[in-house]
Structure formats: structure tokens, C-alpha cells
Amino acid sequence: MAPLAPFGLLAVFALLWIPEINAYFFEVVDGLLSTLGVSDLETYCGRDLYRFWQDTSGFCTTPTGN
């Protein structure tokens, strides 16, 4: 099993390309976040801020520290 270990993460990414598996995975993640008390707004802003390479909606901002 050890020789296959480096390919485990690659296999996870490959599985997440399958739309049905991707949808189920993120439903589980969303359920976990809801259980932990993370609101939909916080989830949206986290996703929006994480994708820094794309234009943001401007709704979610971070403090600049100035």
C-alpha cells in the first residue's frame, strides 16, 4: 500500500471531477459547516475571498490594516 500513497490525493482530485461525487462531497462539507455554526454568508464570503484570482463581488471585504 505504501507505494500507492503518493497517488491518493491525485485520486481524490480525479474523483471530484465526477459531477455526482463532487455534488455529494460538497453537500457533506456544507452540512458539516452548518453543524459547526458557519452561516451561508460566511461560507459565501470565504469562497469569494479564497478565489482571489477572480474579480470579487465587492460584498465581502477584508480589513487592510492601514
Side-chain angles (χ1 to χ4, degrees):
M1 191 58 113
L4 298 177
F7 301 105
L9 188 57
L10 212 61
V12 169
F13 285 126
L15 286 173
L16 287 176
W17 277 99
I18 301 170
E20 294 82 11
I21 294 174
N22 182 292
Y24 178 75
F25 174 79
F26 284 106
E27 284 177 20
V28 170
V29 170
D30 189 46
L32 177 63
L33 290 174
S34 295
T35 301
L36 294 173
V38 178
S39 70
D40 288 340
L41 177 62
E42 292 168 322
T43 302
Y44 170 78
C45 285
R47 181 177 181 262
D48 193 47
L49 294 171
Y50 175 77
R51 300 179 82 166
F52 58 87
W53 61 90
Q54 294 179 334
D55 290 333
T56 61
S57 65
F59 182 76
C60 305
T61 59
T62 57
T64 59
N66 292 331

